[in-house]
Amino acid sequence: MHLRPFLKLLEEQEKLVRIKKEVSVDYEIANILYTLNEKPVIFEHVKGYPFSVFGGITSDRDIIAQGLGTTKERLLSKLVDSMRHPTVPEIIDTGPCQEVVVKNPNLGKLPLLSHLPGDGGRYATATVATIKDPQTGRNVSYHRLMERGANRFTARLIKGRQTRTTYDTSTGDLEMAVCIGNSVSVMIAASLGPPPGVDEFSIANTLFPMKMVKCKTKDLEVPAESEFVIEGRLTKEVDQEGPFVDLTETRDFERKEPVFVVDCITHRKDALYQALIPGRLEHKILMGMPKEPTIYDEVSKVASCKNVLVSMGGGSWLHGIVQIQKKNPDDGKKAIDAAFKGHKSMKHVVIIDDDVDMYNPNAVEWAIATRFQGGKDLVVKLDQPGSSLDPSSKQEEGKKALTDKVGVDATIPFDVDKSKYEIVKYQKVSLDDYLR
């Protein structure tokens, strides 16, 4: 579903809050979003700006599933299917995102948020960015942008990711367009990280049909329904980026990152600016959930994988739960190895049977308590490449973070009487006959 019809639907279903009181971009909007637990919200009146601000449309799996026309339980299969069967979107001559064209942009006119005291500056965070690589073609991803001047950001480009690789190998400026204010399908697709050469916008088009337009000043295409499009160049100049809060809710340190010079901004006449607060629900879901299809694909090569969850307790990045239908004695151990291959930053993974509710932490803990023996079901991998988001990992400048990884096989042992591992259930009765 496109963004605006989806916002309307959420409001009709009383799942969206509309705030009419004037609010400030200086911490106030971020604090309100946090207090609302990132429930979908529209701030109608933003002090000093003509644009409304919205947020929260990817803060909950049920809301994401609704935006993609499915359910939480079927969400993984829909994502896997879209990654396996991308469809190229139609290019049209013009779209709503180009109703207004600003050729001499001033970033001070955008309602960029100040999120927390101690941040390096005002940030754009709900930033779907697209580039073109000479060898692999279009790439779409997220890059946080810190305001550094009237037409300058610094862009956080992570080493090893496609945008950084293309940037590092380019001899001059690298064109980039940043779309702010997008549908759930575009936001989810941009976060998936498929293999090089697989176009995320084509994945988005499979999730929900969309059209695209060519940028006004760059050789790039963007979703026609976007609210804002920032057209610019990643230059070889570097400047301060950070400090800024990251996925684990700890503060990421200051770095030198590429300067993104903005040459043009296009937007709808009544554009809605999208906010996404760092380190919280939307940030975590958009980081972690897209790793579930890649884990699923790898585990499916060695076992019958039923479902995958990258859990919130691990910052939606470091911990995973994999549900399998066990058919062989070593399926659990094989699933552990495959899961780490499917998400190389994951630190701990738990393998469970398909009778355990993976969305219930108590049920997963119960499976560990009743189906796991540390002496034979624990897998420990020392000094493995991990994630710099883990503050306990071994980190050296210019090197991949190292961490100890742990896999827990909490599945029922093979060739045993399974009845003693199953929960005995009572039957509910009608209380009307007993309470009247």
Side-chain angles (χ1 to χ4, degrees):
M1 187 178 296
H2 291 312
L3 172 64
R4 293 194 174 208
F6 187 50
L7 291 173
K8 182 179 179 182
L9 176 63
L10 291 176
E11 188 164 27
E12 289 172 351
Q13 295 176 341
E14 298 184 348
K15 296 178 181 178
L16 180 144
V17 175
R18 188 176 287 271
I19 293 180
K20 299 180 181 295
K21 180 181 177 180
E22 186 179 69
V23 292
S24 171
V25 298
D26 294 330
Y27 310 123
E28 189 173 15
I29 289 178
N31 286 334
I32 295 171
L33 280 164
Y34 172 76
T35 305
L36 285 170
N37 207 30
E38 292 171 81
K39 182 176 182 178
V41 59
I42 296 176
F43 300 93
E44 290 189 357
H45 302 293
V46 181
K47 185 177 181 179
Y49 300 93
F51 307 111
S52 296
V53 172
F54 78 97
I57 64 168
T58 55
S59 62
D60 178 272
R61 285 175 183 262
D62 288 312
I63 292 175
I64 290 171
Q66 185 178 2
L68 297 178
T70 187
T71 64
K72 178 175 69 176
E73 290 73 22
R74 296 179 180 271
L75 189 54
L76 176 63
S77 62
K78 189 172 184 70
L79 296 181
V80 170
D81 179 71
S82 69
M83 293 180 72
R84 292 176 177 173
H85 305 99
T87 53
V88 179
E90 178 187 353
I91 305 294
I92 59 177
D93 292 333
T94 187
C97 69
Q98 295 177 336
E99 289 174 342
V100 178
V101 179
V102 182
K103 286 290 183 69
N104 295 301
N106 181 352
L107 299 178
K109 295 183 178 181
L110 295 181
L112 307 172
L113 298 194
S114 295
H115 296 89
L116 290 162
D119 289 349
R122 298 201 309 164
Y123 268 87
T125 51
T127 44
V128 173
T130 180
I131 64 160
K132 283 183 180 176
D133 183 273
Q135 277 72 49
T136 59
R138 181 161 58 209
N139 180 70
V140 185
S141 55
Y142 286 88
H143 301 290
R144 70 192 191 208
L145 303 173
M146 189 177 92
E147 183 184 29
R148 294 298 289 162
N151 70 334
R152 293 160 60 92
F153 287 108
T154 42
R156 173 74 171 113
L157 306 184
I158 298 175
K159 293 283 187 183
R161 306 284 176 85
Q162 185 62 63
T163 302
R164 184 75 200 209
T165 300
T166 304
Y167 169 82
D168 286 342
T169 56
S170 65
T171 56
D173 293 350
L174 177 64
E175 292 185 344
M176 185 169 77
V178 178
C179 309
I180 299 176
N182 294 286
S183 65
V184 171
S185 55
V186 169
M187 293 184 71
I188 294 299
S191 65
L192 283 173
V198 179
D199 172 31
E200 289 86 352
F201 283 148
S202 294
I203 294 173
N205 191 49
T206 299
L207 289 171
F208 184 81
M210 56 181 272
K211 293 179 171 61
M212 301 183 69
V213 294
K214 289 187 175 293
C215 287
K216 292 295 184 180
T217 65
K218 307 297 172 215
D219 183 24
L220 298 166
E221 300 81 33
V222 292
E225 297 289 331
S226 297
E227 297 291 319
F228 289 87
V229 178
I230 301 173
E231 302 180 14
R233 297 164 283 120
L234 289 166
T235 70
K236 293 302 181 180
E237 181 185 356
V238 297
D239 197 356
Q240 174 192 344
E241 193 282 318
F244 198 57
V245 172
D246 217 321
L247 195 62
T248 52
E249 301 178 52
T250 55
R251 195 173 294 282
D252 201 5
F253 53 83
E254 180 182 323
R255 294 178 175 87
K256 295 293 184 182
E257 292 283 352
V259 171
F260 177 54
V261 175
V262 179
D263 297 312
C264 177
I265 295 177
T266 68
H267 61 81
R268 290 172 176 261
K269 290 180 180 177
D270 57 345
L272 301 171
Y273 181 84
Q274 188 171 11
L276 191 158
I277 58 176
R280 297 300 301 163
L281 300 177
E282 284 197 278
H283 186 189
K284 290 179 178 180
I285 287 177
L286 287 171
M287 282 285 287
M289 191 176 69
K291 291 300 178 184
E292 294 166 5
T294 61
I295 296 171
Y296 175 86
D297 274 345
E298 290 297 331
V299 175
S300 293
K301 295 175 183 177
V302 300
S304 177
C305 188
K306 309 305 290 185
N307 211 340
V308 178
L309 175 67
V310 176
S311 60
M312 283 290 188
S316 196
W317 190 247
L318 300 175
H319 287 182
I321 303 165
V322 177
Q323 188 183 64
I324 66 171
Q325 185 179 31
K326 197 169 182 179
K327 298 180 178 180
N328 301 289
D330 58 351
D331 280 355
K333 296 284 181 61
K334 286 182 176 178
I336 288 172
D337 288 338
F340 285 132
K341 186 177 179 181
H343 178 26
K344 293 179 173 58
S345 291
M346 189 160 60
K347 183 178 180 181
H348 300 144
V349 65
V350 179
I351 312 299
I352 58 173
D353 295 293
D354 57 359
D355 66 330
V356 179
D357 181 3
M358 68 190 315
Y359 298 106
N360 181 349
N362 288 338
V364 175
E365 185 179 350
W366 172 86
I368 296 172
T370 61
R371 300 178 178 183
F372 166 78
Q373 285 294 312
K376 59 187 179 71
D377 298 323
L378 185 70
V379 174
V380 179
K381 300 173 179 285
L382 303 178
D383 288 331
Q384 299 292 302
S387 173
S388 61
L389 295 177
D390 174 14
S392 71
S393 64
K394 302 173 186 176
Q395 301 187 29
E396 295 182 32
E397 185 67 32
K399 294 183 179 181
K400 184 72 174 175
L402 296 178
T403 191
D404 295 342
K405 298 189 175 186
V406 174
V408 173
D409 180 4
T411 59
I412 297 174
F414 206 68
D415 292 334
V416 298
D417 179 7
K418 292 183 172 54
S419 64
K420 74 174 187 176
Y421 290 91
E422 296 171 351
I423 292 179
V424 178
K425 296 181 179 179
Y426 290 88
Q427 285 188 339
K428 287 191 174 182
V429 297
S430 173
L431 295 176
D432 291 347
D433 293 336
Y434 301 95
L435 298 179
R436 66 186 176 189

